[in-house]
Amino acid sequence: MRKVYLFVTLLVLLCTLSVPRLTSAAESTNAKDPVLLLYDSKALRTPLAGNVEALQRLLAGFSTPVTMLSLEQYKEGKLHSFNKVILVRNKSDELNLPDAFLQDLKAYSGKYMQIGSGLPNTIQQALHLQEQHTVDDTINLKISDLNQTSIAVSNMAWVTSFEGKSYGTVKSSKHPAEAPYSITSGNYGYIPYLSKGNLSELAASYVLKDWLEVSTAPQHYVLISDIFPFSNLELVNAMADRLYEAGIPFVASIQPVFSNWDYPAMQRYMETLKHLQARNGSIIVQTPIVDSTDSPDVNKLRNELGSFLDHLARLGIVPLGVSAEMYWTYDKHYAIDGLSFFDSGLILPNQAVQFRDPSDTAVAFYSTAYTIDANELLRYMDEGNSLNPLPMNTAIAYSFPNDASKLETLLTTLTSSWTTFDDYKNGGHSVQTSASKFSSQNGHLLMNGQEVHLNNQIQDVDAAHVYVQQEEKSLSGLFSVQNKILIVLIGTTLFLFGLFLIIGHRMYKRKYMQSWRQ
C-alpha cells in the first residue's frame, strides 16, 4: 500500500508539472472582493453611451473581479452573494427600480455605490443628501491637478449638501457655487455623472479607490506601444538608447510572431527586443489582432502564443505581462487560451470587439495597469506641470512613430517632463508556459529561476536568405536536358530563317534591277 500511495503521489505531481497553467489570470484575482456591476441601460446612441464600459475598465485597472448584470436579469437574492455592488443608472426618465432589487437592498449590509441620479431613499437618508437637477448645462470639472472645461451634460444632479467625503468639484454658469463631483460615506458611494471620453472617466477613479479599499501606492509607467517586426528597428534601438541615457524606464508592447522565425527580418526583430530589454525596457506581449472569430487561427491561439513565449526564452528575452483590449477579459476563450499565461496585464480600451465565447464574469490580473493615451491626458493638464500619481497603476501610452522627426518630438516630451516614472520590473510579475517561467523581482529578470544577464550588443543579421526553399524534383534533370535541346533547335531554326530571308532579298533585288535596265 505504501508503494501504491507513493506511485500515485508521484503521478499526480508529474501531471501537475506537465499541464500548462490554464487559469493563471483567474487564479491571480488574489483576495479582492468581486464586484457585482448592475446597469439599467447601456445608453446606446446617447451622450452617456460607453460609460458602463469605461467603468468596467476602471475596475479592471484596480485588479477587481467583476460580474456584470442587467437590472432586467436581476433575480431575488443575487445582491447577497457580493460584498460590493455598483449600480449604473442611465435611464433618468425611469425612477422606479425592480421590486426584487429594492427588497434585497433594504436587507443588504455590504458596500453600495451608484452612478447616475435616482438614489434609493434609504441611501439618500444615510448620506443626508440634498441635490438639484439641471436639464441641459455645461460644466467645469476639476480633480487633483486635472481639469476640463465646457463639458456638456443633461439632467445632471448637483449635490447641495451631504455628510461624508467629497472628491473633485464641478461648477457652471447655472450653478456658480462649487459642488462635489462625487461623495462617499461609510459603505456608500455616489457619482452623479460619468461619461466615456472626458475627465469624468478619470475622476471616478479617485472615489473608486477609497470605496474599493485599495491601499497600495499606485505606479506610473511609460508605455511604448505598436512595436512590430517591420517597424523601423534602427529608430526603435535609438529610442531605447535615448531613454536609457535620460534615466527613463519604459514598457515596450511588442507584437508576437507565430512563424518564420528564421527569416532575417524576424531575427533582427529579436535582436531589437534584446536591446530594449538591456536598455531598462520591460517587454510585454500585445495580444494578436482578431480579424474574425470564424478564422481557424483563433483555435490555435494557445499553442501559437505559448510557442512564441518559449522562443523568447531560447533567446534570453523575458516578457513580464500582456496588453489586451478589455473585452478579452470578458471572453472565456481568450481568457483561458490567451491571457492565462500571464498574471500581469495592461488593460487597453476596446477598439473592435470580437467576442468568441463571451462571459458576464471577467478575470482579473494580480497586477494591472490602466492605460491612457498621452495626448488625452495632456488635455486635462496645465502646460508644464508634472503629473501627480493617479489613483491606480497607470501606463501612459505613446504609439511608436516610424518617423525620425516624430520620434524626436516624443523623446523631447519625455525627457523634458518633470513627471517621475516607475520601473515596471521592480514589481512582481510572472509569465509561465509548460516549458518556461519568466518573472521579475526587485528589478531583476529571472527565467526558470535563474537571473538573466543583459547584453546591449546588437548582433548583425545576414540579409542573404532563401525565403522560399526549392524542393528537389526527380525529373528536373530530364527537363533540363529537354530545355537545352529545344533552345538549340529554336536557335538553329531562327538562324536558317534569317539566312533564307537575306538570300531571298538579294535574289529579288537582282531580278528587279535586271527588269529595270531592260
Side-chain angles (χ1 to χ4, degrees):
M1 288 297 293
R2 290 174 60 188
K3 291 182 178 180
V4 171
Y5 176 77
L6 180 61
F7 174 75
V8 171
T9 303
L10 290 173
L11 184 62
V12 171
L13 179 61
L14 287 173
C15 290
T16 303
L17 292 174
S18 62
V19 174
R21 191 172 56 167
L22 295 178
T23 56
S24 65
E27 291 168 355
S28 296
T29 56
N30 55 46
K32 293 186 178 178
D33 287 333
V35 169
L36 175 62
L37 175 56
L38 299 169
Y39 61 93
D40 62 2
S41 166
K42 290 192 175 180
L44 301 178
R45 294 179 294 278
T46 75
L48 294 177
N51 66 350
V52 175
E53 181 182 300
L55 180 59
Q56 288 175 275
R57 202 160 76 88
L58 285 171
L59 292 170
F62 286 110
S63 298
T64 302
V66 175
T67 295
M68 193 168 71
L69 189 67
S70 167
L71 270 182
E72 294 177 353
Q73 301 172 306
Y74 184 83
K75 304 293 183 184
E76 184 179 354
K78 185 72 173 178
L79 212 63
H80 301 296
S81 300
F82 295 83
N83 292 324
K84 294 184 175 74
V85 174
I86 299 177
L87 171 62
V88 179
R89 299 213 60 186
N90 286 324
K91 292 183 177 180
S92 58
D93 55 340
E94 297 182 20
L95 298 179
N96 294 326
L97 294 169
D99 289 337
F101 172 77
L102 288 175
Q103 290 301 319
D104 286 345
L105 188 60
K106 287 180 181 178
Y108 181 67
S109 59
K111 307 196 73 171
Y112 178 86
M113 172 175 283
Q114 183 163 312
I115 296 172
S117 59
L119 275 170
N121 291 331
T122 54
I123 297 176
Q124 285 193 43
Q125 293 170 8
L127 292 172
H128 298 277
L129 180 70
Q130 298 291 327
E131 57 184 4
Q132 297 177 351
H133 288 263
T134 181
V135 178
D136 293 304
D137 204 349
T138 301
I139 66 170
N140 299 335
L141 171 58
K142 180 176 177 57
I143 192 162
S144 185
D145 56 345
L146 307 176
N147 64 83
Q148 185 179 7
T149 60
S150 304
I151 303 174
V153 297
S154 179
N155 197 30
M156 177 179 163
W158 290 76
V159 175
T160 55
S161 66
F162 72 102
E163 285 187 6
K165 181 179 178 181
S166 66
Y167 301 81
T169 58
V170 290
K171 63 179 181 178
S172 74
S173 57
K174 294 181 180 179
H175 299 271
E178 289 186 342
Y181 166 72
S182 58
I183 59 175
T184 59
S185 179
N187 284 343
Y188 301 119
Y190 179 42
I191 304 176
Y193 168 77
L194 173 62
S195 180
K196 183 181 179 182
N198 61 36
L199 181 55
S200 66
E201 189 171 350
L202 284 179
S205 66
Y206 289 83
V207 62
L208 278 172
K209 179 180 180 179
D210 286 350
W211 186 81
L212 291 169
E213 301 173 292
V214 177
S215 58
T216 54
Q219 305 288 303
H220 273 183
Y221 310 111
V222 171
L223 171 65
I224 308 297
S225 63
D226 301 323
I227 296 178
F228 298 93
F230 298 103
S231 298
N232 187 328
L233 299 182
E234 290 185 4
L235 286 182
V236 175
N237 292 323
M239 174 198 69
D241 292 337
R242 288 277 299 278
L243 292 176
Y244 181 76
E245 292 166 2
I248 300 175
F250 62 95
V251 178
S253 179
I254 67 164
Q255 186 70 28
V257 181
F258 298 143
S259 60
N260 302 326
W261 293 331
D262 59 332
Y263 282 20
M266 298 304 105
Q267 293 176 20
R268 284 191 287 270
Y269 183 51
M270 294 297 115
E271 289 296 321
T272 295
L273 299 188
K274 286 194 282 187
H275 187 65
L276 293 177
Q277 183 174 265
R279 289 306 196 184
N280 216 15
S282 298
I283 305 296
I284 64 168
V285 179
Q286 186 174 322
T287 52
I289 298 171
V290 181
D291 292 328
S292 170
T293 55
D294 297 328
S295 171
D297 292 339
V298 175
N299 295 321
K300 305 177 191 175
L301 176 62
R302 179 165 189 81
N303 290 334
E304 289 185 333
L305 192 53
S307 297
F308 175 69
L309 294 172
D310 289 334
H311 181 66
L312 295 181
R314 289 190 290 272
L315 297 173
I317 301 169
V318 181
L320 296 180
V322 64
S323 61
E325 292 182 34
M326 188 197 64
Y327 79 91
W328 275 59
T329 64
Y330 283 85
D331 189 289
K332 295 176 184 176
H333 171 71
Y334 297 136
I336 293 175
D337 289 351
L339 304 182
S340 61
F341 296 103
F342 312 91
D343 75 351
S344 298
L346 272 62
I347 306 301
L348 307 174
N350 291 338
Q351 297 296 330
V353 176
Q354 295 275 7
F355 280 120
R356 183 171 178 84
D357 188 9
S359 172
D360 291 332
T361 301
V363 296
F365 294 101
Y366 177 80
S367 171
T368 314
Y370 179 91
T371 61
I372 182 169
D373 185 84
N375 292 326
E376 179 182 350
L377 189 58
L378 287 174
R379 288 165 42 200
Y380 311 138
M381 297 175 57
D382 293 330
E383 188 175 353
N385 285 0
S386 62
L387 177 66
N388 291 327
L390 296 173
M392 61 285 197
N393 292 340
T394 306
I396 302 171
Y398 297 84
S399 180
F400 176 76
N402 282 301
D403 179 87
S405 61
K406 292 181 180 178
L407 178 61
E408 184 62 33
T409 301
L410 185 156
L411 292 171
T412 301
T413 300
L414 287 173
T415 55
S416 62
S417 172
W418 289 97
T419 303
T420 301
F421 297 104
D422 297 289
D423 192 340
Y424 191 76
K425 60 182 175 289
N426 281 340
H429 308 286
S430 177
V431 179
Q432 186 170 344
T433 69
S434 58
S436 310
K437 182 175 182 179
F438 313 90
S439 60
S440 64
Q441 188 176 27
N442 298 324
H444 299 285
L445 297 177
L446 305 175
M447 187 184 301
N448 297 323
Q450 302 295 317
E451 186 171 355
V452 175
H453 298 287
L454 305 181
N455 183 359
N456 64 359
Q457 296 298 318
I458 303 174
Q459 301 297 319
D460 291 331
V461 178
D462 187 2
H465 183 83
V466 179
Y467 283 88
V468 179
Q469 299 294 333
Q470 298 293 331
E471 296 182 3
E472 185 177 351
K473 301 176 178 61
S474 59
L475 298 178
S476 60
L478 176 62
F479 291 149
S480 177
V481 172
Q482 288 179 341
N483 289 340
K484 291 178 182 178
I485 292 174
L486 288 174
I487 290 172
V488 172
L489 290 176
I490 293 172
T492 303
T493 301
L494 291 174
F495 173 76
L496 292 175
F497 178 78
L499 182 63
F500 290 151
L501 187 64
I502 293 171
I503 294 172
H505 175 72
R506 289 180 177 178
M507 290 177 64
Y508 178 78
K509 182 178 180 181
R510 191 181 303 118
K511 288 182 179 181
Y512 174 77
M513 293 299 293
Q514 288 176 356
S515 62
W516 182 76
R517 288 171 183 166
Q518 293 175 357

